[in-house]
Coordinates of all heavy atoms in Angstrom, one line a residue:
M1 N 13.6 -14.3 -14.6 CA 13.9 -13.2 -13.8 C 12.6 -12.8 -13.0 O 11.5 -12.7 -13.6 CB 14.3 -12.1 -14.7 CG 14.5 -10.8 -13.9 SD 14.8 -9.3 -15.0 CE 16.4 -9.7 -15.6
E2 N 12.8 -12.5 -11.8 CA 11.7 -12.0 -10.9 C 11.6 -10.5 -11.0 O 12.5 -9.8 -11.0 CB 12.0 -12.5 -9.5 CG 10.8 -12.2 -8.5 CD 11.1 -12.8 -7.2 OE1 11.1 -14.0 -7.1 OE2 11.2 -12.0 -6.2
R3 N 10.3 -10.1 -11.1 CA 10.1 -8.6 -11.2 C 9.2 -8.2 -10.0 O 8.4 -8.9 -9.6 CB 9.3 -8.3 -12.5 CG 10.2 -8.6 -13.7 CD 9.4 -8.1 -15.0 NE 10.2 -8.4 -16.1 CZ 10.8 -7.4 -16.8 NH1 10.7 -6.2 -16.4 NH2 11.5 -7.7 -17.9
W4 N 9.5 -7.0 -9.6 CA 8.8 -6.4 -8.5 C 8.0 -5.1 -9.0 O 8.5 -4.4 -9.9 CB 9.8 -5.9 -7.4 CG 10.6 -6.9 -6.8 CD1 10.6 -8.3 -6.9 CD2 11.7 -6.7 -5.9 NE1 11.5 -8.9 -6.2 CE2 12.3 -7.9 -5.5 CE3 12.3 -5.5 -5.4 CZ2 13.3 -8.0 -4.7 CZ3 13.3 -5.6 -4.5 CH2 13.8 -6.9 -4.2
A5 N 6.9 -4.9 -8.3 CA 6.2 -3.6 -8.5 C 6.4 -2.8 -7.2 O 6.2 -3.3 -6.1 CB 4.7 -3.9 -8.8
L6 N 6.8 -1.5 -7.4 CA 6.9 -0.6 -6.3 C 5.9 0.5 -6.4 O 5.8 1.1 -7.5 CB 8.3 0.0 -6.3 CG 9.5 -1.0 -6.3 CD1 10.8 -0.2 -6.4 CD2 9.5 -1.8 -5.1
V7 N 5.2 0.7 -5.3 CA 4.1 1.7 -5.3 C 4.3 2.6 -4.1 O 4.7 2.1 -3.0 CB 2.7 1.0 -5.3 CG1 1.6 2.0 -5.2 CG2 2.5 0.1 -6.4
S8 N 4.0 3.9 -4.2 CA 4.0 4.8 -3.1 C 3.0 5.9 -3.3 O 2.6 6.2 -4.4 CB 5.4 5.4 -3.0 OG 5.5 6.3 -1.9
G9 N 2.6 6.5 -2.2 CA 1.7 7.6 -2.3 C 0.3 7.3 -2.6 O -0.4 8.1 -3.3
L10 N -0.3 6.2 -2.2 CA -1.7 5.9 -2.4 C -2.6 6.8 -1.7 O -3.7 7.1 -2.2 CB -2.0 4.4 -2.0 CG -1.3 3.3 -2.8 CD1 -1.5 2.0 -2.2 CD2 -1.8 3.4 -4.2
R11 N -2.2 7.3 -0.5 CA -3.0 8.3 0.3 C -4.5 7.9 0.4 O -5.3 8.8 0.3 CB -2.8 9.7 -0.3 CG -1.4 10.1 -0.2 CD -1.3 11.6 -0.5 NE 0.1 12.0 -0.4 CZ 0.5 13.2 -0.6 NH1 -0.4 14.1 -1.0 NH2 1.7 13.6 -0.5
G12 N -4.7 6.6 0.7 CA -6.1 6.2 0.9 C -7.0 6.0 -0.3 O -8.2 5.7 -0.2
D13 N -6.4 6.1 -1.5 CA -7.1 5.9 -2.7 C -7.3 4.5 -3.1 O -6.5 3.9 -3.8 CB -6.4 6.7 -3.8 CG -7.3 6.9 -5.1 OD1 -8.3 6.2 -5.2 OD2 -6.9 7.8 -5.8
L14 N -8.4 3.9 -2.7 CA -8.7 2.5 -3.0 C -8.9 2.3 -4.5 O -8.5 1.3 -5.1 CB -10.0 2.0 -2.3 CG -10.4 0.6 -2.5 CD1 -9.3 -0.4 -2.2 CD2 -11.7 0.3 -1.8
K15 N -9.5 3.2 -5.2 CA -9.7 3.1 -6.7 C -8.4 3.0 -7.4 O -8.2 2.2 -8.3 CB -10.6 4.2 -7.2 CG -12.0 4.1 -6.8 CD -12.9 5.2 -7.3 CE -14.3 5.1 -6.8 NZ -15.2 6.1 -7.4
L16 N -7.5 3.8 -7.0 CA -6.1 3.8 -7.6 C -5.5 2.4 -7.4 O -4.9 1.8 -8.3 CB -5.3 4.9 -7.0 CG -3.8 4.9 -7.5 CD1 -3.7 5.0 -9.0 CD2 -3.0 6.0 -6.7
Y17 N -5.6 1.9 -6.1 CA -5.0 0.6 -5.8 C -5.6 -0.5 -6.6 O -4.9 -1.4 -7.1 CB -5.2 0.3 -4.3 CG -4.5 -1.0 -3.9 CD1 -3.2 -1.1 -3.8 CD2 -5.3 -2.0 -3.5 CE1 -2.6 -2.3 -3.5 CE2 -4.8 -3.2 -3.2 CZ -3.4 -3.4 -3.1 OH -2.8 -4.6 -2.8
E18 N -6.9 -0.4 -6.8 CA -7.6 -1.4 -7.6 C -7.1 -1.4 -9.1 O -7.0 -2.4 -9.7 CB -9.1 -1.3 -7.5 CG -9.7 -1.7 -6.2 CD -11.1 -1.4 -6.0 OE1 -11.7 -0.5 -6.8 OE2 -11.7 -1.9 -5.1
R19 N -6.9 -0.2 -9.6 CA -6.4 -0.1 -11.0 C -5.0 -0.6 -11.1 O -4.6 -1.3 -12.0 CB -6.4 1.4 -11.4 CG -7.7 1.9 -11.8 CD -7.7 3.2 -12.5 NE -6.8 4.3 -12.0 CZ -7.2 5.3 -11.2 NH1 -8.4 5.4 -10.8 NH2 -6.3 6.1 -10.8
I20 N -4.2 -0.4 -10.0 CA -2.8 -1.0 -10.0 C -2.9 -2.5 -10.0 O -2.2 -3.2 -10.7 CB -2.0 -0.5 -8.8 CG1 -1.7 1.0 -8.9 CG2 -0.8 -1.3 -8.5 CD1 -1.2 1.7 -7.7
Q21 N -3.8 -3.1 -9.2 CA -3.9 -4.5 -9.1 C -4.4 -5.1 -10.5 O -3.8 -6.1 -10.9 CB -4.9 -5.0 -8.0 CG -4.3 -4.9 -6.6 CD -3.3 -6.0 -6.4 OE1 -3.1 -6.9 -7.1 NE2 -2.6 -5.9 -5.2
R22 N -5.3 -4.4 -11.1 CA -5.7 -4.9 -12.5 C -4.6 -4.9 -13.5 O -4.4 -5.8 -14.3 CB -6.9 -4.0 -13.0 CG -8.2 -4.4 -12.4 CD -9.4 -3.8 -13.2 NE -9.3 -2.3 -13.3 CZ -9.8 -1.5 -12.4 NH1 -10.4 -1.9 -11.3 NH2 -9.7 -0.2 -12.6
D23 N -3.8 -3.8 -13.4 CA -2.7 -3.7 -14.3 C -1.7 -4.8 -14.1 O -1.1 -5.4 -15.0 CB -2.0 -2.3 -14.2 CG -0.9 -2.1 -15.1 OD1 -1.1 -2.3 -16.4 OD2 0.3 -1.8 -14.7
L24 N -1.4 -5.1 -12.8 CA -0.4 -6.1 -12.4 C -0.9 -7.5 -12.9 O -0.1 -8.3 -13.3 CB -0.2 -6.1 -10.9 CG 0.6 -4.9 -10.4 CD1 0.6 -4.9 -8.9 CD2 1.9 -4.8 -11.0
K25 N -2.2 -7.7 -12.8 CA -2.8 -9.0 -13.3 C -2.6 -9.2 -14.8 O -2.4 -10.3 -15.3 CB -4.3 -9.1 -12.9 CG -4.5 -9.4 -11.5 CD -6.0 -9.4 -11.2 CE -6.3 -9.3 -9.7 NZ -7.7 -9.2 -9.4
S26 N -2.8 -8.1 -15.5 CA -2.7 -8.2 -17.0 C -1.2 -8.4 -17.4 O -1.0 -8.9 -18.5 CB -3.2 -6.9 -17.6 OG -2.4 -5.8 -17.4
R27 N -0.3 -7.9 -16.6 CA 1.2 -8.1 -16.9 C 1.7 -9.5 -16.7 O 2.5 -10.0 -17.5 CB 2.0 -7.1 -16.2 CG 1.7 -5.7 -16.5 CD 2.6 -4.7 -15.8 NE 4.0 -5.0 -16.0 CZ 4.8 -4.5 -17.0 NH1 4.2 -3.7 -17.8 NH2 6.0 -4.9 -17.1
R28 N 1.3 -10.1 -15.7 CA 1.6 -11.5 -15.3 C 3.1 -11.8 -15.1 O 3.5 -12.9 -14.9 CB 1.1 -12.5 -16.4 CG -0.4 -12.5 -16.5 CD -0.9 -13.6 -17.3 NE -2.3 -13.6 -17.5 CZ -3.2 -14.2 -16.7 NH1 -2.8 -14.9 -15.7 NH2 -4.5 -14.1 -17.0
D29 N 4.0 -10.8 -15.3 CA 5.4 -11.0 -15.1 C 5.9 -10.4 -13.8 O 7.1 -10.5 -13.5 CB 6.2 -10.5 -16.3 CG 6.0 -9.0 -16.5 OD1 5.1 -8.4 -15.9 OD2 6.8 -8.4 -17.2
V30 N 5.0 -9.9 -13.0 CA 5.4 -9.2 -11.7 C 5.1 -10.3 -10.6 O 3.9 -10.8 -10.5 CB 4.6 -7.9 -11.5 CG1 4.9 -7.3 -10.1 CG2 4.9 -7.0 -12.6
N31 N 6.0 -10.5 -9.7 CA 5.9 -11.5 -8.7 C 5.7 -10.9 -7.3 O 5.1 -11.6 -6.4 CB 7.2 -12.4 -8.6 CG 7.5 -13.0 -9.9 OD1 8.2 -12.5 -10.7 ND2 6.9 -14.2 -10.2
N32 N 6.1 -9.7 -7.1 CA 6.0 -9.1 -5.7 C 5.5 -7.6 -5.8 O 5.9 -6.9 -6.8 CB 7.4 -9.1 -5.0 CG 7.9 -10.5 -4.8 OD1 7.2 -11.2 -4.0 ND2 9.0 -10.9 -5.4
L33 N 4.7 -7.2 -4.9 CA 4.2 -5.9 -4.8 C 4.7 -5.3 -3.5 O 4.4 -5.8 -2.4 CB 2.7 -5.8 -4.9 CG 2.0 -4.5 -4.6 CD1 2.5 -3.4 -5.6 CD2 0.5 -4.6 -4.6
F34 N 5.4 -4.2 -3.5 CA 5.8 -3.4 -2.4 C 5.2 -2.1 -2.3 O 5.3 -1.3 -3.3 CB 7.4 -3.3 -2.4 CG 8.1 -4.6 -2.3 CD1 8.5 -5.2 -3.4 CD2 8.3 -5.2 -1.0 CE1 9.2 -6.5 -3.3 CE2 9.0 -6.4 -0.9 CZ 9.4 -7.0 -2.1
V35 N 4.5 -1.7 -1.2 CA 3.9 -0.4 -1.1 C 4.9 0.4 -0.1 O 5.0 0.0 1.1 CB 2.5 -0.5 -0.5 CG1 1.9 0.9 -0.4 CG2 1.6 -1.4 -1.4
L36 N 5.5 1.4 -0.7 CA 6.6 2.1 0.1 C 6.1 3.4 0.7 O 6.5 4.5 0.5 CB 7.7 2.4 -0.9 CG 8.2 1.2 -1.7 CD1 9.3 1.7 -2.7 CD2 8.8 0.2 -0.8
G37 N 5.1 3.2 1.6 CA 4.6 4.3 2.4 C 3.6 5.2 1.8 O 3.1 5.0 0.7
D38 N 3.1 6.1 2.6 CA 2.0 7.0 2.4 C 0.8 6.3 1.9 O 0.1 6.6 0.9 CB 2.4 8.1 1.3 CG 3.5 9.0 1.9 OD1 3.7 9.0 3.1 OD2 4.2 9.6 1.1
L39 N 0.4 5.3 2.7 CA -0.8 4.5 2.5 C -2.0 5.4 2.8 O -3.1 5.3 2.2 CB -0.9 3.3 3.4 CG 0.3 2.3 3.3 CD1 0.2 1.3 4.4 CD2 0.4 1.7 1.9
I40 N -1.9 6.2 3.9 CA -2.9 7.1 4.3 C -2.6 8.5 3.8 O -1.5 8.8 3.4 CB -3.1 7.1 5.8 CG1 -1.8 7.6 6.5 CG2 -3.4 5.7 6.3 CD1 -1.9 7.8 8.0
G41 N -3.6 9.4 3.9 CA -3.5 10.8 3.5 C -4.5 11.6 4.2 O -5.3 11.1 4.9
P42 N -4.4 12.9 4.0 CA -5.3 13.8 4.7 C -6.7 14.0 4.2 O -7.6 14.5 4.9 CB -4.5 15.2 4.6 CG -3.9 15.1 3.3 CD -3.5 13.6 3.1
N43 N -7.0 13.6 2.9 CA -8.2 13.9 2.3 C -9.3 12.8 2.2 O -10.4 13.1 2.0 CB -7.9 14.5 0.9 CG -7.1 15.7 1.0 OD1 -7.2 16.5 1.9 ND2 -6.2 15.9 0.0
L44 N -8.9 11.6 2.2 CA -9.8 10.5 2.0 C -9.9 9.6 3.3 O -9.0 9.6 4.1 CB -9.3 9.6 0.9 CG -9.2 10.2 -0.5 CD1 -8.5 9.3 -1.5 CD2 -10.5 10.6 -1.1
S45 N -11.1 8.9 3.4 CA -11.2 7.9 4.4 C -10.3 6.8 3.9 O -10.5 6.2 2.9 CB -12.6 7.4 4.5 OG -12.7 6.3 5.3
C46 N -9.3 6.4 4.8 CA -8.3 5.4 4.4 C -8.7 4.0 4.8 O -8.0 3.1 4.3 CB -7.0 5.8 5.0 SG -6.4 7.5 4.5
N47 N -9.7 3.9 5.6 CA -10.0 2.5 6.1 C -10.3 1.5 5.0 O -9.8 0.4 5.1 CB -11.2 2.6 7.1 CG -10.8 3.2 8.4 OD1 -9.6 3.2 8.7 ND2 -11.7 3.8 9.1
P48 N -11.1 1.8 3.9 CA -11.3 0.8 2.9 C -10.0 0.3 2.2 O -9.8 -0.9 2.0 CB -12.2 1.5 1.9 CG -12.9 2.6 2.7 CD -11.9 3.0 3.7
L49 N -9.1 1.2 2.0 CA -7.8 0.8 1.4 C -7.0 0.0 2.4 O -6.4 -1.1 2.0 CB -6.9 2.0 1.0 CG -5.5 1.7 0.5 CD1 -5.6 0.8 -0.7 CD2 -4.7 3.0 0.3
L50 N -6.9 0.4 3.6 CA -6.2 -0.4 4.6 C -6.7 -1.8 4.8 O -6.0 -2.8 4.9 CB -6.2 0.4 6.0 CG -5.4 1.7 5.9 CD1 -5.6 2.4 7.3 CD2 -4.0 1.6 5.6
E51 N -8.1 -1.9 4.8 CA -8.7 -3.3 4.9 C -8.3 -4.1 3.7 O -8.0 -5.3 3.8 CB -10.2 -3.1 5.0 CG -10.7 -2.7 6.4 CD -10.2 -3.7 7.5 OE1 -10.3 -4.9 7.3 OE2 -9.7 -3.2 8.5
R52 N -8.3 -3.5 2.5 CA -8.0 -4.3 1.3 C -6.5 -4.7 1.3 O -6.2 -5.8 0.9 CB -8.2 -3.4 0.1 CG -7.8 -4.0 -1.3 CD -8.8 -5.0 -1.7 NE -8.5 -5.6 -3.0 CZ -8.9 -5.1 -4.2 NH1 -9.6 -4.1 -4.2 NH2 -8.4 -5.7 -5.3
L53 N -5.6 -3.8 1.8 CA -4.2 -4.2 2.0 C -4.0 -5.4 3.0 O -3.2 -6.3 2.7 CB -3.4 -3.0 2.4 CG -3.3 -1.9 1.4 CD1 -2.6 -0.7 2.0 CD2 -2.5 -2.3 0.1
R54 N -4.8 -5.3 4.0 CA -4.7 -6.4 5.0 C -5.3 -7.7 4.5 O -4.8 -8.8 4.9 CB -5.4 -6.0 6.3 CG -4.7 -5.0 7.1 CD -5.4 -4.8 8.5 NE -5.0 -3.5 9.0 CZ -5.8 -2.4 9.2 NH1 -7.0 -2.5 8.9 NH2 -5.3 -1.3 9.7
Q55 N -6.4 -7.6 3.8 CA -7.1 -8.8 3.3 C -7.2 -8.7 1.8 O -8.3 -8.3 1.2 CB -8.4 -8.9 3.9 CG -8.4 -9.1 5.4 CD -9.7 -9.1 6.1 OE1 -10.7 -8.7 5.5 NE2 -9.8 -9.5 7.3
P56 N -6.2 -9.1 1.0 CA -6.2 -9.0 -0.4 C -7.3 -9.9 -1.0 O -7.6 -10.9 -0.4 CB -4.8 -9.4 -0.9 CG -4.0 -9.4 0.3 CD -4.9 -9.5 1.5
K57 N -7.9 -9.5 -2.2 CA -8.8 -10.3 -2.8 C -8.1 -11.5 -3.5 O -6.9 -11.4 -3.8 CB -9.6 -9.5 -3.9 CG -10.5 -8.5 -3.3 CD -11.3 -7.8 -4.4 CE -12.4 -6.9 -3.8 NZ -13.1 -6.2 -4.8
R58 N -8.9 -12.5 -3.8 CA -8.3 -13.7 -4.5 C -7.7 -13.2 -5.9 O -8.4 -12.4 -6.6 CB -9.4 -14.7 -4.8 CG -8.9 -15.9 -5.6 CD -9.9 -16.9 -5.8 NE -9.9 -17.7 -4.6 CZ -10.9 -18.4 -4.1 NH1 -12.0 -18.5 -4.7 NH2 -10.7 -19.1 -3.0
G59 N -6.5 -13.5 -6.2 CA -5.9 -13.1 -7.4 C -5.0 -11.9 -7.3 O -4.3 -11.6 -8.2
D60 N -5.2 -11.1 -6.2 CA -4.3 -9.9 -6.0 C -2.9 -10.4 -5.6 O -2.7 -11.4 -5.0 CB -4.9 -9.1 -4.8 CG -6.0 -8.2 -5.2 OD1 -6.4 -8.2 -6.4 OD2 -6.5 -7.5 -4.3
L61 N -2.0 -9.6 -6.0 CA -0.6 -9.8 -5.4 C -0.7 -9.3 -4.0 O -1.2 -8.2 -3.7 CB 0.4 -8.9 -6.2 CG 1.0 -9.5 -7.4 CD1 1.9 -8.5 -8.1 CD2 1.7 -10.8 -7.2
K62 N -0.2 -10.1 -3.1 CA -0.2 -9.7 -1.7 C 0.9 -8.6 -1.4 O 2.0 -8.8 -1.8 CB 0.1 -10.9 -0.8 CG 0.1 -10.6 0.7 CD 0.4 -11.8 1.5 CE 0.4 -11.5 3.0 NZ 1.4 -10.6 3.4
P63 N 0.5 -7.4 -0.9 CA 1.4 -6.3 -0.8 C 2.2 -6.5 0.5 O 1.8 -6.9 1.5 CB 0.5 -5.1 -0.7 CG -0.8 -5.6 -0.1 CD -0.9 -7.0 -0.6
D64 N 3.5 -6.1 0.4 CA 4.4 -5.9 1.5 C 4.5 -4.4 1.7 O 4.8 -3.7 0.8 CB 5.8 -6.5 1.3 CG 5.7 -8.0 1.2 OD1 5.3 -8.6 2.3 OD2 6.0 -8.6 0.2
C65 N 4.1 -3.9 2.9 CA 4.0 -2.5 3.1 C 4.9 -2.0 4.2 O 5.2 -2.7 5.2 CB 2.6 -2.1 3.6 SG 1.3 -2.7 2.4
I66 N 5.4 -0.8 4.0 CA 6.2 -0.1 5.0 C 5.5 1.3 5.2 O 4.8 1.8 4.2 CB 7.7 0.1 4.7 CG1 7.9 0.9 3.4 CG2 8.3 -1.3 4.6 CD1 9.3 1.2 3.2
Y67 N 5.7 1.9 6.3 CA 5.0 3.2 6.5 C 5.9 4.3 6.0 O 7.1 4.2 6.0 CB 4.5 3.4 7.9 CG 5.5 3.5 9.0 CD1 6.1 4.8 9.3 CD2 5.9 2.5 9.8 CE1 7.0 4.9 10.3 CE2 6.8 2.6 10.8 CZ 7.3 3.9 11.1 OH 8.2 4.0 12.1
G68 N 5.3 5.4 5.7 CA 6.0 6.6 5.2 C 5.7 7.8 6.0 O 5.3 7.7 7.2
W69 N 5.8 9.0 5.4 CA 5.7 10.2 6.1 C 4.3 10.4 6.8 O 4.2 10.8 7.9 CB 6.0 11.4 5.2 CG 6.1 12.7 5.9 CD1 7.2 13.2 6.6 CD2 5.0 13.7 6.2 NE1 6.9 14.4 7.2 CE2 5.6 14.7 6.9 CE3 3.7 13.7 5.8 CZ2 4.8 15.8 7.3 CZ3 2.9 14.8 6.2 CH2 3.5 15.9 6.9
W70 N 3.2 10.2 6.1 CA 1.9 10.3 6.6 C 1.7 9.4 7.8 O 1.1 9.8 8.8 CB 0.8 10.1 5.6 CG 0.7 11.3 4.7 CD1 1.1 11.4 3.4 CD2 0.1 12.6 5.0 NE1 0.8 12.7 2.9 CE2 0.2 13.4 3.8 CE3 -0.4 13.1 6.1 CZ2 -0.2 14.7 3.8 CZ3 -0.9 14.5 6.1 CH2 -0.8 15.2 4.9
E71 N 2.1 8.2 7.7 CA 1.9 7.2 8.8 C 2.7 7.6 10.0 O 2.3 7.6 11.1 CB 2.3 5.8 8.3 CG 1.4 5.2 7.3 CD 1.6 5.6 5.9 OE1 2.7 6.2 5.6 OE2 0.7 5.4 5.0
E72 N 3.9 8.1 9.7 CA 4.8 8.6 10.8 C 4.2 9.7 11.5 O 4.2 9.8 12.8 CB 6.2 9.0 10.2 CG 7.2 9.3 11.2 CD 8.6 9.5 10.6 OE1 9.1 8.6 9.9 OE2 9.1 10.6 10.8
Q73 N 3.6 10.7 10.8 CA 2.9 11.8 11.5 C 1.7 11.3 12.3 O 1.5 11.8 13.5 CB 2.4 12.8 10.4 CG 3.5 13.4 9.6 CD 4.6 14.0 10.5 OE1 4.4 14.8 11.4 NE2 5.8 13.5 10.3
L74 N 0.9 10.4 11.8 CA -0.2 9.9 12.6 C 0.3 9.2 13.9 O -0.3 9.3 14.9 CB -1.0 8.9 11.7 CG -2.2 8.3 12.4 CD1 -3.2 9.3 12.8 CD2 -2.8 7.2 11.5
L75 N 1.4 8.4 13.7 CA 1.9 7.7 14.9 C 2.4 8.7 15.9 O 2.2 8.5 17.1 CB 3.0 6.7 14.5 CG 2.5 5.5 13.7 CD1 3.7 4.7 13.1 CD2 1.7 4.6 14.6
A76 N 3.1 9.7 15.5 CA 3.6 10.8 16.4 C 2.5 11.5 17.1 O 2.6 11.7 18.3 CB 4.5 11.7 15.6
E77 N 1.4 11.8 16.4 CA 0.2 12.4 17.0 C -0.4 11.5 18.0 O -1.0 12.0 19.0 CB -0.8 12.8 15.9 CG -0.5 14.0 15.2 CD -1.6 14.4 14.2 OE1 -2.7 13.8 14.3 OE2 -1.3 15.2 13.3
S78 N -0.3 10.2 17.8 CA -0.9 9.2 18.7 C 0.0 8.9 19.9 O -0.3 8.2 20.8 CB -1.2 7.9 18.0 OG -2.1 8.2 16.9
G79 N 1.2 9.6 19.9 CA 2.1 9.4 21.1 C 3.1 8.3 20.9 O 3.9 8.0 21.8
Y80 N 3.1 7.6 19.7 CA 4.1 6.5 19.5 C 5.4 7.1 19.2 O 5.6 7.9 18.2 CB 3.6 5.6 18.4 CG 4.6 4.5 18.1 CD1 4.6 3.4 19.0 CD2 5.4 4.5 17.0 CE1 5.5 2.3 18.7 CE2 6.3 3.5 16.8 CZ 6.4 2.4 17.6 OH 7.3 1.4 17.4
R81 N 6.4 6.8 19.9 CA 7.8 7.3 19.7 C 8.8 6.3 19.2 O 9.9 6.6 19.0 CB 8.3 7.9 21.0 CG 7.5 9.0 21.6 CD 7.6 10.3 20.7 NE 6.8 11.3 21.3 CZ 5.9 12.0 20.5 NH1 5.8 11.8 19.3 NH2 5.2 13.0 21.1
G82 N 8.3 5.1 19.0 CA 9.2 4.0 18.5 C 10.0 3.4 19.6 O 10.0 3.7 20.7
E83 N 10.8 2.4 19.2 CA 11.7 1.7 20.1 C 13.1 1.9 19.6 O 13.4 2.3 18.4 CB 11.3 0.2 20.1 CG 9.9 0.0 20.5 CD 9.5 -1.5 20.4 OE1 10.3 -2.2 19.8 OE2 8.5 -1.8 20.9
R84 N 14.0 1.7 20.5 CA 15.4 1.8 20.1 C 15.9 0.7 19.2 O 15.4 -0.4 19.2 CB 16.3 1.8 21.3 CG 16.2 3.1 22.1 CD 17.1 3.0 23.3 NE 17.3 4.4 23.7 CZ 18.3 4.9 24.4 NH1 19.2 4.1 24.8 NH2 18.3 6.1 24.7

């Protein structure tokens, strides 16, 4: 049976993401990692986490990410309105 890990609300916290990756390595029964939004947040510099998500370390589960509320707000502030 294939198992998934679902994560949300990281809000730029690289240390939390590293703890999650360590936990997933110790379990060994999880095949996929999905990050369900809120990768960024208002209080932390989010760039280190975003770089780690883009370029996982050797042995990390490669995350599949979708954006959430915080990302949507940032895109709206930047003038992105989406496509039909």
